[in-house]
Amino acid sequence: MHKVEDAPFWIVKSLDEMTDAEWESLCDGCARCCLNKLEDEDSGAIAWTDVGCSLLDDASCRCRDYDNRSATVPDCIRLTPDEVRTLSWLPPTCAYRLVDEGRDLYWWHPLVSGDPDTVHQAGVSVRGRTVSEDDVPLERWEERIVSWPNETPGEPRRRRRRRMP
């Protein structure tokens, strides 16, 4: 347990109370939010693809033009505290989501580890796992549906219960 005066900002502040610098530092650089998602029109269910935004740099897991991304990609969603609270597709590892839910950050988050590469070392980032939307026509995105962006690497899988005789 942290003492309040020693606790990191993400423990003691709400998303609404953070400075711009604190807000930006919460991004772990996984780039999962930069993957295109498909929504079922009838059920509203979200399916993740491995198709990255045209501005996603697959090697660094960063936006190639972060400051101007909304002008280039009009449907790019700028995360705000309200968006964090309403978007159902934020990955379970997303620091914004974790903080909003009153949970701590994972060990591999750069704010915890002190190393921006731990997000990649832990297998959380999209590094080397995507194709650009520039290379895959929209009508082929269904063929690119994947489940890993909605998983938490390193979490134990649930074991099946065996029936005892």
Side-chain angles (χ1 to χ4, degrees):
M1 195 62 104
H2 300 282
K3 289 183 189 177
V4 173
E5 61 272 7
D6 298 331
F9 71 87
W10 64 88
I11 298 289
V12 296
K13 290 185 176 183
S14 71
L15 294 176
D16 297 294
E17 296 170 323
M18 292 183 187
T19 66
D20 289 344
E22 290 168 338
W23 176 268
E24 290 295 323
S25 72
L26 267 186
C27 177
D28 61 21
C30 75
R32 289 181 181 198
C33 62
C34 299
L35 296 176
N36 284 288
K37 292 148 287 286
L38 302 173
E39 182 177 7
D40 183 285
E41 291 177 9
D42 297 324
S43 70
I46 301 293
W48 292 80
T49 72
D50 65 355
V51 180
C53 170
S54 61
L55 293 177
L56 175 62
D57 179 330
D58 181 72
S60 70
C61 293
R62 295 294 181 177
C63 184
R64 288 187 179 99
D65 192 12
Y66 185 74
D67 291 336
N68 301 304
R69 67 191 184 279
S70 296
T72 308
V73 181
D75 59 349
C76 179
I77 295 175
R78 281 189 184 268
L79 282 185
T80 65
D82 288 335
E83 293 285 358
V84 169
R85 292 179 191 109
T86 59
L87 293 173
S88 63
W89 52 258
L90 286 176
T93 57
C94 178
Y96 299 100
R97 179 178 178 173
L98 294 171
V99 169
D100 190 57
E101 293 171 354
R103 297 167 53 206
D104 205 347
L105 305 181
Y106 287 94
W107 67 267
W108 44 259
H109 192 289
L111 288 173
V112 176
S113 70
D115 182 354
D117 283 332
T118 51
V119 69
H120 309 299
Q121 294 162 0
V124 178
S125 78
V126 305
R127 180 180 279 171
R129 301 166 85 176
T130 69
V131 295
S132 174
E133 66 186 0
D134 294 338
D135 299 330
V136 181
L138 180 58
E139 59 272 7
R140 308 267 327 257
W141 286 9
E142 277 191 47
E143 300 167 20
R144 308 294 309 198
I145 292 175
V146 293
S147 62
W148 57 262
N150 204 31
E151 296 171 357
T152 304
E155 275 192 342
R157 294 181 181 225
R158 294 182 184 201
R159 295 183 184 187
R160 288 188 187 170
R161 292 185 181 196
R162 289 192 318 209
R163 284 187 110 146
M164 301 304 282

